[in-house]
Structures are given as structure tokens and as C-alpha cells.
Amino acid sequence: MDQPILVIDQGTTSSRAILFSPALQILGVAQREFPQHFPASGWVEHDPEDLWSSALDVAREVLAKTQTVPQDIAAIGIANQRETVVVWDRATGKPIHNAIVWQDRRTADICDRLRADGHEALIAERTGLLIDPYFSATKIAWILDKVPGARARAEVGELACGSVDSFLLWRLTGGKVHATDATNASRTQLLNIHTGQWDETLLDLFGVPAALLPEVRDSAGDFGQTAIDVLGAAIPVRGVAGDQQAALVGQACFAPGMAKATYGTGCFVLLNTGERPVASRHRLLTTVAYQLDGKRTYALEGSIFIAGAALQWLRDGLGVLARAENADAMARQAAADPGLYMVPAFVGLAAPDWRPDARGAIFGLTRATGPNELVRAALESVCFQTRDLIEAMSAEDADAEWSIKLRVDGGMSASDWMLQTLADTLDKTIDRPEVREATALGAAWLARRGISGEAGDDFWRRDRAFTRQPDAAIGAARIQGWRRAVAAVISMAEA
């Protein structure tokens, strides 16, 4: 293949388009933010038309910037924000309600009822997921119940529903393809991850008609082609994955025991567990990593709600950090203080503690604590939280004998100080790649495989490896101090 690949990376706050060479090198990038809507406390919505128009605009822009004609594009790959749902009219293609975003908490009461009625074990066994508003199923049911006439129309097949990838595919193909890939489907809480099919028991439990849902396909394969009036040519769509799974592919984590951590506003850690889904004993999520040639590969997933957002708070909330890019230098200038801990539970604690009622705290403040020390504590908190996740993953399956190999990406991976501290905290080698656009790179790899049938894993190249320093300040006492700080936050939530 000697033609470029176009990737649409549709995220939570912006849409981006990246053009890759056949060798998966970046040729051009375009990005556009779109509005966020907060109609009530805990509610987060997007206008689906903003998702579509921003994605289309950046795709056209990157082609113009690189002087690429649409007919020269080999294939399109899509990566998307997961769990966010759209319901639309099959006849017109128009959404019947704003998209409900993965962050939205409006269905917490539905989740409480499901848990109280004893459905948690069934849902976890079939989907690998916990009962939580985070996932798509309760969002779909809410739209069907709140929009007048929607449920009746859904039952007779007049409506379509899907995550953002499905909506973009529908629009790209002029309404000819209603499909999703196995990674996105595995985040709905409606897919049986063992069979790879929509589960009738779960559909009945959540009240979601099967007629609404897209066809589940491989992550690399035939997703139709664009309508000519969309980009000016009929371009094959050949790769689709949820953003975190796309990043796992972009980091070439194709073997069991390989893991990636993406550091952005929060952090998502995915560990490839191979052909067998591992049921978590530590409240991690079991999910589909990717599906190729009808064969599913699975992953364990753990999330950190607050990573880069801790620096944003220091910058925007306290004014002690002028720019996030300054964090590395400030941490280096800070006085090492083994008694200072920041637990950034601003929106609760995620895995492995899962305490949505917890709130943040800083322990060990003295008169000597200043901006540099606070920045250092924020970066260290990300390292400690990552260690908690990696420890939980390592303990999940004794038979696997995992020796986890960790690769990192995302905005915070630019901080050498944080990655060195992470290596010291984990006592592991941390690999940072040359191409840090791992999500888009994974979608490009999937699209290339969808065209050629084989894509190889030789596209990944290391920028730098970080290994534990012999005189590292992070030792058992510091780690125990962190766990005491977390325990104190949980104790305050229970008081």
C-alpha cells in the first residue's frame, strides 16, 4: 500500500483529523473544539451535529493542509470517545436528543435500582463491567423513556442508536452502514463479551430494543465507504476502535502482559490479557482490547479520574502554576518532602478503590510548602495511583505470571520528571514512544490492516526508556504513606 490513511479522532472536547503515511508517520493534523453542555448538575451532553460537523471540518482541513486529494486516500480509521450515546431517526439521520456523554451521571438512580435488585453479578459476568452510569445502556434507556414516542418508534425499527463511531459511520456512508466494532460494543453493557453478540437478557434488563443497535464487526475490516458528497470521493472505512483500545493498538501492545497508560485529564491503563477474559477480583474492568478476523483479544482496564486535571486545578483554581508545561521544572526545584501527599479525589476515587463519595485532600502541609512542592505532590499522586492499578492488575491472575511491560502516552508523558518518578515508584522500565499520538496511530494501524490484511508491529519506536534510579526517593515508606493518605480520604467519606 502506497497511499496515506486518514484518521478521525473524535474526543470528548475536540475532534481531530490526522493524515498518516503508509508507514504510519504523521503528515498533518487538524483540530477543532466544540461546545460542552451541562443542562443540570451531573449532566453532560454534546450536540451530535457538533460532533459531526467538527469531525467533517477537520477531515477536510487536514486534506487541504497537506494538499491531498480525496481519491488518494487508501482508507479511513475512526477512534472515538467511548460510552457516549446518540439516538437518531433512520429516515432523516437527525438525532432525537443530545448525545449523553460518558461523564454523565443522570442515571445513577437506575444503577442503584439494578444493584439493589441483585443484577450486579450477572452484568459483571457477561459484560466484564460494573454497574455505573459511565456505561451506555442506562443512557439509551433514559433517552427512550424521556423523549416522547421514542420507545414505541424504537420497537418498530424507526430509530437507530450507537456510540459516536456508529453515528459518524452513518453520516460518512450516507446512512448505508449501521455498525460498530467490538471494542465500542463492549463498553455499552449490552454485549456479551464471551460470545461477541448483543445479549438478549441484558437488552431486556436495561429495556433496549435490539432493533436500535448496530451490527458488531471486527476492529479492522469493511465498514463501507464514504458517500461521494462527504469528502469528494468514495473512501473505504476500514478501522474503528474506542479511543483507549486504539491507544493500546497504537502502542503495539499485542502480547499478553503488555500495557499502556494514557495520561490526559485522567488516566486509563489497559493490560492485554490475551484470548481469555480475566474476571477481576479487584474491581477492574474486563473489556475487549480488539477483534481481528473474528477473534477477540481481551484487556483489563483501570482508570484514574484525576491526572492532568490536578495540574489544571493548580493552574486555574489556585494560580500556583502558570502553564502546565512548567510542571516538570517546578517539580525538579521542589524540596523533597516525604510527608506531603495530594490525594486528588475531586470527583471520587476510581479503580481499585471505587469510592465516588471520596473527596480530595492534601496531607503534610508545613510553612515550607510552596507552589513547587504542590506541583511535585500532584505529579507524584499520578505515579502512586498508577502503582495501585498496576499492583491490582498483577494480582488478578496468578496463572498468567504477568511481567507487565508499560508504555505511556498522552500530554503528561512529556514530563521526564514524572516518568522517572513513575519508574522509581513502579520499579519498572517505562517506555515512551516517538509517536505519542497513540490513539490516532492505533486507528491508522487498524485501517491499514483492514485494507491489506496484515499490518505488522514494527511501526512502534521508542523515544526513551525510564528505569528505576539506584538512589530513588520513592521507597516502601513513601508508598505506605500514600496508602494511609488514601485510607484517610475514604475514612472522611464514611464519617
Side-chain angles (χ1 to χ4, degrees):
M1 188 186 76
D2 58 359
Q3 295 172 287
I5 295 167
L6 174 64
V7 168
I8 296 172
D9 182 0
Q10 203 298 300
T12 307
T13 58
S14 69
S15 294
R16 295 194 306 159
I18 300 181
L19 191 68
F20 287 88
S21 73
L24 303 186
Q25 300 298 309
I26 294 176
L27 301 175
V29 180
Q31 181 169 349
R32 184 161 303 180
E33 293 186 356
F34 52 82
Q36 311 289 301
H37 300 281
F38 308 99
S41 177
W43 293 26
V44 189
E45 295 181 356
H46 294 154
D47 183 338
E49 298 297 346
D50 289 337
L51 303 181
W52 167 244
S53 63
S54 61
L56 183 59
D57 287 348
V58 292
R60 290 171 172 169
E61 182 182 339
V62 79
L63 295 182
K65 286 171 67 173
T66 58
Q67 299 182 334
T68 303
V69 296
Q71 291 82 356
D72 287 344
I73 301 298
I76 291 175
I78 297 173
N80 58 283
Q81 54 170 313
R82 307 174 303 171
E83 296 93 21
T84 297
V85 295
V86 185
V87 181
W88 65 94
D89 187 307
R90 287 181 181 268
T92 66
K94 298 293 185 182
I96 67 168
H97 190 275
N98 272 353
I100 300 182
V101 180
W102 59 272
Q103 300 159 315
D104 191 281
R105 307 299 294 176
R106 76 184 66 187
T107 61
D109 58 337
I110 301 175
C111 293
D112 289 343
R113 288 198 300 271
L114 289 167
R115 200 176 293 109
D117 290 343
H119 297 300
E120 190 162 34
L122 170 71
I123 291 171
E125 191 279 325
R126 297 197 183 187
T127 72
L129 307 176
L130 305 173
I131 296 178
D132 195 89
Y134 177 28
F135 305 109
S136 307
T138 56
K139 297 177 172 66
I140 300 170
W142 188 94
I143 292 175
L144 296 183
D145 290 335
K146 298 300 181 180
V147 175
R151 183 165 290 282
R153 297 185 66 203
E155 295 282 1
V156 298
E158 293 181 5
L159 302 179
C161 172
S163 44
V164 172
D165 61 308
S166 295
F167 181 63
L168 294 181
L169 269 173
W170 182 278
R171 288 290 181 89
L172 286 167
T173 62
K176 292 183 178 179
V177 176
H178 186 34
T180 188
D181 92 298
T183 70
N184 280 297
S186 74
R187 311 300 294 187
T188 61
Q189 219 153 44
L190 298 172
L191 186 86
N192 186 317
I193 62 172
H194 307 281
T195 66
Q197 303 295 319
W198 301 120
D199 189 286
E200 292 185 6
T201 300
L202 295 175
L203 294 176
D204 290 342
L205 180 63
F206 285 101
V208 177
L212 269 178
L213 297 173
E215 178 187 351
V216 182
R217 300 184 181 180
D218 286 350
S219 305
D222 186 357
F223 289 91
Q225 59 185 19
T226 61
I228 293 177
D229 61 349
V230 172
L231 291 172
I235 305 171
V237 183
R238 291 293 183 265
V240 175
D243 52 10
Q244 300 306 320
Q245 283 94 333
L248 188 75
V249 171
Q251 289 277 30
C253 293
F254 296 122
M258 298 188 72
K260 72 89 193 175
T262 299
Y263 294 101
T265 300
C267 171
F268 292 88
V269 180
L270 267 69
L271 169 69
N272 185 323
T273 63
E275 299 177 12
R276 183 171 60 91
V278 175
S280 174
R281 294 176 290 109
H282 297 84
R283 308 205 79 199
L284 301 174
L285 306 178
T286 306
T287 195
V288 176
Y290 47 84
Q291 181 173 305
L292 303 173
D293 302 323
K295 179 179 174 182
R296 284 177 297 284
T297 295
Y298 295 92
L300 281 171
E301 177 174 331
S303 55
I304 297 168
F305 289 151
I306 300 295
L311 296 179
Q312 293 171 342
W313 173 67
L314 292 177
R315 182 193 64 195
D316 302 334
L318 297 188
V320 301
L321 176 65
R323 299 170 65 239
E325 294 82 357
N326 297 347
D328 197 290
M330 292 178 68
R332 292 180 190 278
Q333 295 168 13
D337 186 346
L340 184 65
Y341 296 94
M342 177 187 293
V343 183
F346 303 149
V347 291
L349 291 168
D353 297 293
W354 287 109
R355 291 301 303 249
D357 53 345
R359 290 297 176 262
I362 300 174
F363 298 93
L365 291 170
T366 69
R367 288 287 297 272
T369 303
N372 292 342
E373 287 69 35
L374 290 174
V375 168
R376 175 177 175 140
L379 292 176
E380 286 181 336
S381 76
V382 176
C383 300
F384 286 130
Q385 290 178 94
T386 304
R387 188 181 193 280
D388 291 343
L389 290 181
I390 296 297
E391 279 199 331
M393 289 177 171
S394 298
E396 286 291 10
D397 191 348
D399 295 334
E401 296 182 352
W402 286 315
S403 177
I404 297 175
K405 299 177 178 64
L406 184 62
R407 294 175 172 177
V408 297
D409 56 82
M412 293 185 77
S413 68
S415 171
D416 289 355
W417 189 91
M418 192 199 84
L419 294 189
Q420 183 58 63
T421 303
L422 182 62
D424 295 342
T425 305
L426 297 178
D427 194 14
K428 285 184 177 294
T429 297
I430 309 298
D431 283 330
R432 181 172 65 193
E434 287 183 357
V435 179
R436 299 177 202 173
E437 299 286 357
T439 298
L441 181 59
W445 186 93
L446 291 168
R448 188 173 77 171
R449 194 184 191 282
I451 285 288
S452 66
E454 295 293 337
D457 60 0
D458 58 351
F459 63 92
W460 189 91
R461 292 175 179 82
R462 179 186 293 108
D463 166 54
R464 181 175 170 184
F466 296 82
T467 58
R468 181 179 173 87
Q469 303 171 109
D471 58 346
I474 303 294
R478 285 285 283 145
I479 292 165
Q480 290 171 5
W482 162 256
R483 290 309 305 172
R484 286 195 297 271
V486 172
V489 165
I490 294 173
S491 178
M492 285 189 288
E494 293 172 342

